[in-house]
C-alpha cells in the first residue's frame, strides 16, 4: 500500500512538472511567433520634470496584443523570454522599435525627448548588446541625439561591478545614458554606484507607494535623492499616484516623476498627441508659436 502511494505521488509530481514545462514551452513558441507576426507593441508613459512640469521623457513599455488572450502585460511574458535566449531577440526588437519611434517624433517636428528603454540583465551579459544599440542609433540617425536614449537596467545586473562597468562604459561611449531601474529593492550598495558610469536612478515604486504616511519610506526616498545628487545623478520617482506624493517629492528635490497621476502608458499615436498639445500650449506667453 505504501509502495502504491509512493508511486502515485511520484506520478503526480511528474505530471505537474511536465505541465508547467509544457506551458512554458508553449508560451515560448507563442512569443517567438508573436515577434514574427508583429503582435508586440510598445506603449509610452510620460516622465515630467518636476520643476517645470513639462514632459521631458518617456518610458517605452512592452505589450503583447495576443490574438486570443488580449493585451498582455510584460510581467506575463518577459520572465519567460528571460529564461531563454529569446530575450535577446525581444530586446533587440524593443530597441529598434523605440529608436524608430524617437526618430518619427523628431521627424514630425517635436523636440527630442528622452526615450527610456528597459534592458534585461540577460541582454547586458549578451555580447551583442553594445553592437545592437550602436546599430539602432545608426539605423535611425540618432547619433546626434544619442543622449536622449536612456537604457534602464535593474540593480541585479550590477552585482558584479567590473564586467558591468566595462559594458556600461562601452554603451556610454556611444552617447547613450544609463539609469538604474527599481532602485532600492536590489542589492547594489551605494558605494558601488560610485564606481559605475550611471546617469540616473529610478526609485522603486514600492517606496513611493508608501509615501507620505510611512516615515521609513520617506526617509529612504529622502536619503536616496540626496545621495544621488551628491554623486551627480538625476533622480526619477516612478509610481506617483497622488498629488500629495508629488508635493513630497518636490520638497525632497526629486528631478523627474512618472506615474498614473500624470499619465498612464499609452499607444504611440496618443502620446504624440499629448506632446503636440503641450508644444502648442503657450505656457510662457513670449514662447507661443507664431
Ligand atoms: P518598470 O520598468 O519598473 O516599469 C514601470 C512599471 O510601472 C510599468 O508596468 C508601468 O505601467 C507601471 N507604473 C507606472 N506608473 C505607475 C503608477 O503610478 N502606479 C502603478 N501601480 N504602476 C505604475 P508594466 O508596463 O506592466 O511593466 C512592468 C515591468 O516589465 C517593467 O517595470 C519592466 O521591468 C518590464 N518591462 C516592460 N517593458 C519591457 C521591455 O521592453 N523589456 C524588458 N526587458 N522589460 C520590460
Ligand atoms: Mg523601467
Ligand atoms: Mg521601475
Ligand atoms: Mg519594475
Amino acid at each position: 500500500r505504501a509502495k502504491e502511494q509512493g508511486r502515485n505521488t511520484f506520478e503526480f509530481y511528474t505530471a505537474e512538472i511536465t505541465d508547467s514545462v509544457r506551458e512554458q514551452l508553449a508560451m515560448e513558441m507563442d512569443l517567438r511567433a508573436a515577434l514574427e507576426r508583429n503582435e508586440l507593441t510598445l506603449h509610452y508613459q510620460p516622465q515630467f520634470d518636476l520643476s517645470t512640469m513639462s514632459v521631458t521623457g518617456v518610458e517605452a513599455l512592452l505589450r503583447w496584443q495576443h490574438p486570443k488572450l488580449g493585451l498582455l502585460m510584460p510581467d506575463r511574458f518577459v520572465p519567460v523570454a528571460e529564461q531563454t535566449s529569446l530575450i535577446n531577440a525581444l530586446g533587440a526588437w524593443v530597441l529598434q522599435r523605440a529608436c524608430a519611434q524617437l526618430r518619427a517624433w523628431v521627424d514630425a517636428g517635436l523636440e527630442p525627448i528622452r526615450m527610456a528603454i528597459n534592458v534585461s540583465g540577460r541582454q547586458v551579459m549578451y555580447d551583442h548588446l553594445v553592437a545592437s544599440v550602436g546599430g539602432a542609433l545608426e539605423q535611425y540617425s540618432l547619433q546626434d541625439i544619442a543622449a536622449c536614449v536612456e537604457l534602464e537596467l535593474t540593480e541585479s545586473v550590477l552585482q558584479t561591478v567590473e564586467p558591468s562597468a566595462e559594458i556600461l562604459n562601452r554603451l556610454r561611449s556611444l552617447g547613450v545614458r544609463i539609469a538604474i531601474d527599481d532602485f532600492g529593492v536590489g542589492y547594489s550598495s551605494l558605494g558601488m554606484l560610485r564606481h559605475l558610469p550611471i546617469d540616473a536612478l529610478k526609485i522603486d515604486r514600492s517606496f513611493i507607494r508608501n509615501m507620505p504616511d510611512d516615515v521609513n519610506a520617506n526617509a529612504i526616498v529622502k536619503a536616496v535623492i540626496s545621495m544621488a545628487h551628491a554623486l551627480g545623478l538625476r533622480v526619477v520617482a516612478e509610481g506617483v499616484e497622488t498629488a500629495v506624493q508629488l508635493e513630497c517629492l518636490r520638497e525632497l528635490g526629486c528631478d523627474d516623476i512618472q506615474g498614473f497621476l500624470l499619465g498612464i502608458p499609452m499607444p504611440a499615436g496618443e502620446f504624440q498627441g499629448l506632446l503636440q498639445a503641450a508644444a502648442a500650449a503657450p505656457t510662457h506667453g513670449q514662447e507661443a508659436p507664431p
Side-chain angles (χ1 to χ4, degrees):
R1 181 167 277 262
K3 195 175 163 192
E4 205 173 286
Q5 209 175 338
R7 209 182 72 196
N8 284 343
T9 310
F10 173 75
E11 281 171 357
F12 172 74
Y13 282 131
T14 310
E16 198 168 68
I17 290 164
T18 310
D19 267 2
S20 81
V21 168
R22 197 180 297 128
E23 208 170 279
Q24 168 112 7
L25 282 174
M27 179 62 112
E28 191 195 327
M29 275 174 58
D30 253 24
L31 195 50
R32 213 174 277 281
L35 260 170
E36 278 154 27
R37 285 195 225 115
N38 256 320
E39 291 168 9
L40 297 177
T41 182
L42 293 178
H43 279 188
Y44 298 89
Q45 186 179 26
Q47 295 179 342
F48 293 76
D49 178 325
L50 248 179
S51 59
T52 62
M53 288 311 282
S54 53
V55 179
T56 52
V58 59
E59 179 171 10
L61 294 159
L62 190 57
R63 303 288 182 259
W64 177 3
Q65 190 61 61
H66 194 286
K68 290 189 204 100
L69 304 174
L71 193 69
L72 297 186
M73 302 306 258
D75 292 340
R76 285 280 295 277
F77 61 90
V78 168
V80 175
E82 276 174 339
Q83 278 162 30
T84 69
S85 61
L86 193 54
I87 190 63
N88 295 316
L90 202 73
W93 183 88
V94 169
L95 202 62
Q96 290 272 322
R97 197 63 225 115
C99 286
Q101 191 58 68
L102 178 57
R103 167 47 54 199
W105 284 331
V106 172
D107 285 349
L110 294 162
E111 279 297 310
I113 57 167
R114 208 173 43 244
M115 173 70 80
I117 304 172
N118 291 287
V119 173
S120 118
R122 275 203 61 162
Q123 278 175 271
V124 176
M125 293 309 146
Y126 180 61
D127 267 356
H128 295 165
L129 179 64
V130 179
S132 96
V133 171
L137 293 178
E138 200 174 311
Q139 183 174 349
Y140 298 103
S141 310
L142 298 172
Q143 295 100 325
D144 291 348
I145 54 166
C148 284
V149 174
E150 185 162 270
L151 305 178
E152 293 193 357
L153 315 176
T154 53
E155 278 178 276
S156 56
V157 178
L158 310 171
Q159 275 165 26
T160 45
V161 176
E162 274 177 24
S164 308
E166 208 231 285
I167 295 167
L168 299 194
N169 274 318
R170 285 166 60 205
L171 288 170
R172 267 269 208 87
S173 66
L174 296 171
V176 302
R177 295 195 227 183
I178 311 285
I180 304 303
D181 205 348
D182 303 342
F183 186 76
V185 295
Y187 303 97
S188 64
S189 71
L190 302 181
M192 209 170 98
L193 291 180
R194 213 158 47 95
H195 300 293
L196 292 169
I198 288 165
D199 300 280
L201 291 187
K202 286 189 85 172
I203 305 179
D204 192 67
R205 199 165 79 217
S206 57
F207 300 107
I208 310 302
R209 188 198 303 131
N210 293 321
M211 289 176 78
D213 300 323
D214 178 342
V215 288
N216 292 328
N218 294 343
I220 290 168
V221 170
K222 184 177 179 178
V224 169
I225 292 172
S226 57
M227 181 268 318
H229 284 168
L231 294 172
L233 307 176
R234 198 176 93 250
V235 185
V236 187
E238 67 178 4
V240 179
E241 293 184 354
T242 71
V244 177
Q245 289 165 349
L246 183 151
E247 278 317 315
C248 287
L249 289 161
R250 193 199 295 282
E251 261 165 50
L252 295 176
C254 187
D255 302 287
D256 298 328
I257 56 170
Q258 175 183 346
F260 294 169
L261 175 69
L262 297 168
I264 60 168
M266 58 190 99
E270 232 173 275
F271 186 81
Q272 183 170 334
L274 187 117
L275 286 182
Q276 276 158 343
T283 41
H284 311 289
Q286 64 274 42
E287 284 175 24

